[in-house]
Amino acid sequence: MDDFSTNRHAESALRPDASSSLPTRHPDLWFSDGNIVLVAGDFYFNVHRGLLCRHSTVLEEAINALDAEDRHPCLIEGNSVLELDEQPKDLCRFLMALYDGVSGIKHDHLDFENVSALLRLSTKYAVEHIRNDILRGMSAIWPKTLSAWEFREADATDVTGIYKPRAVYPHPILVINLAKETGATELLPSAFYDLSRCAASEIATGYLPPGGSDRSELQILSDEDLMNALRGREHASRFLSTFVVNELEGRDASAGCVHRNDPDPFRKRICQATFEATTFEILRDVNGVVFHRSSDPLFAIMDADLMQTRSDSTNGSGRLSLLHRACEPCRLEFTAAVDAAREDMWHKIPAWFGIEIANWP
């Protein structure tokens, strides 16, 4: 098979001579009753072929080919050797998951390297239960539904209302590249939307892990994905502009407005004045800056509604004054428009970013 060596050259590769040395026994994964040796880089793992064959048809075929083709098999500790083109630490993670499961895996930014290795190798070796478990955990952070997205956003917001996703979640460029590599299309829409909230220059420059200085660590999008990210960002921005024009600018009071028949001209226009003030706040994006949620149309549309119920005054912070609140009938009508717009936007996200996905809400 293309992805695996079946040990045709194992004798020369593993025989000690002046230019090479035997791989080192891995300190964590070596079983005295193991009956197959996997070699990755400078390490070997003495494990059980029955376990590998039970969970992976890909590895089963490679092991069967190894048995059939090696007339003079190379042995380590008396067992046949299968070389795999993997990093030792990644293969160790994968084998540990086969033996111990993935219940202890976290899906935050600190554990992304582990999650990434498990998704890549479980996909490559067709171990469906590990792949499904990893994707199930990732889908809580990169969800398919708007309601799940709101829970995700709440988890990344501190008690003061400041939004800090990078302190909790892996960078979306990492997720996009991983999802493309492993065919995990369901992760892409929310990852692309998350990325679209970054500045265009940041999207184009790529992601370098904190403290990283080696250019080899820089993660960038493919040219196609970069164009899709920027194009989707433009679509989202236009959607917000359209919402402001259609639902805020010059918005009339509802039919049930409590101020509709008020003889005082000022009070009669309270609700219209409220929506005008909301328009101003959205356009200058003060709340986005305050809460670290700039360039986030989903948040901006929701925030237009939340301004009606916050108890704090403007005082330079970008919220509506207590004197500018729509009456309950007008507010409820606007809330319905906000909910419909956000659902409509969420539905459009895959198409905006050039993603073909079935069963998107």
Side-chain angles (χ1 to χ4, degrees):
M1 300 182 63
D2 292 340
D3 290 333
F4 309 101
S5 165
T6 52
N7 234 32
R8 295 184 183 89
H9 309 293
E11 286 187 330
S12 61
L14 298 178
R15 181 180 295 142
D17 54 31
S19 61
S20 65
S21 59
L22 285 172
T24 303
R25 176 193 291 179
H26 195 275
D28 296 323
L29 274 172
W30 179 91
F31 298 96
S32 59
D33 62 343
N35 52 15
I36 183 75
V37 167
L38 304 182
V39 171
D42 296 329
F43 289 91
Y44 72 86
F45 305 80
N46 196 39
V47 291
H48 303 91
R49 64 172 64 200
L51 178 78
L52 301 182
C53 293
R54 173 178 173 80
H55 293 294
S56 170
T57 55
V58 176
L59 287 174
E60 181 180 25
E61 290 173 4
I63 291 170
N64 290 340
L66 177 71
D67 293 339
E69 294 182 17
D70 280 344
R71 297 180 181 178
H72 304 287
C74 178
L75 303 177
I76 292 181
E77 300 192 17
N79 292 329
S80 298
V81 176
L82 177 64
E83 292 181 87
L84 301 179
D85 185 20
E86 309 294 349
Q87 291 295 321
K89 61 181 180 180
D90 290 346
L91 184 59
C92 178
R93 290 166 171 147
F94 175 66
L95 292 173
M96 291 284 283
L98 278 178
Y99 278 97
D100 300 333
V102 296
S103 59
I105 300 298
K106 300 184 184 300
H107 292 83
D108 57 18
H109 68 297
L110 298 176
D111 212 18
F112 183 75
E113 187 176 355
N114 193 15
V115 169
S116 176
L118 289 178
L119 184 57
R120 285 189 295 101
L121 268 64
S122 63
T123 301
K124 180 176 181 178
Y125 297 118
V127 183
E128 289 301 316
H129 73 279
I130 292 181
R131 175 181 164 87
N132 291 338
D133 285 345
I134 294 298
L135 287 176
R136 190 177 300 112
M138 294 187 74
S139 67
I141 302 174
W142 313 99
K144 294 178 67 174
T145 67
L146 180 58
S147 59
W149 176 261
E150 295 305 336
F151 281 112
R152 181 248 200 214
E153 297 291 84
D155 286 342
T157 304
D158 67 18
V159 294
T160 65
I162 304 301
Y163 182 61
K164 298 179 178 180
R166 297 291 79 81
V168 182
Y169 306 131
H171 196 280
I173 287 180
L174 300 176
V175 177
I176 290 169
N177 288 340
L178 176 63
K180 285 297 189 78
E181 180 183 352
T182 59
T185 309
E186 64 269 32
L187 305 177
L188 289 173
S190 54
F192 266 104
Y193 180 72
D194 188 11
L195 180 63
S196 75
R197 301 180 296 180
C198 299
S201 58
E202 183 180 343
I203 297 172
T205 301
Y207 170 71
L208 189 65
S213 57
D214 188 347
R215 293 287 295 179
S216 65
E217 298 180 68
L218 180 66
Q219 291 282 328
I220 61 174
L221 297 176
S222 68
D223 290 345
E224 179 184 5
D225 289 339
L226 175 58
M227 288 302 299
N228 284 335
L230 296 177
R231 189 178 295 113
R233 189 175 189 273
E234 293 174 357
H235 279 297
S237 179
R238 281 197 295 270
F239 187 93
L240 175 59
S241 298
T242 301
F243 171 82
V244 171
V245 170
N246 292 343
E247 300 296 344
L248 277 172
E249 287 186 359
R251 184 179 183 87
D252 292 329
S254 71
C257 178
V258 299
H259 305 296
R260 177 176 290 277
N261 298 316
D262 198 304
D264 185 335
F266 174 80
R267 292 186 58 81
K268 187 173 184 176
R269 290 199 73 257
I270 283 179
C271 293
Q272 288 96 323
T274 293
F275 294 123
E276 290 168 4
T278 302
T279 302
F280 176 72
E281 295 298 329
I282 293 296
L283 291 178
R284 69 179 185 144
D285 197 26
V286 173
N287 282 351
V289 174
V290 170
F291 296 126
H292 297 181
R293 301 288 291 271
S294 57
S295 302
D296 188 347
L298 274 174
F299 171 76
I301 294 172
M302 177 180 67
D303 196 47
D305 186 35
L306 294 179
M307 288 181 201
Q308 310 295 326
T309 56
R310 288 197 182 106
S311 60
D312 46 316
S313 63
T314 48
N315 294 326
S317 64
R319 286 94 168 168
L320 295 181
S321 166
L322 288 172
L323 298 177
H324 291 88
R325 297 295 172 84
C327 70
E328 192 67 2
C330 287
R331 187 187 68 79
L332 291 176
E333 187 175 275
F334 181 63
T335 296
V338 164
D339 292 343
R342 296 179 79 245
E343 288 288 350
D344 184 35
M345 180 176 173
W346 186 259
H347 181 76
K348 287 179 165 65
I349 285 175
W352 287 349
F353 292 96
I355 303 164
E356 295 184 5
I357 180 172
N359 301 321
W360 185 258

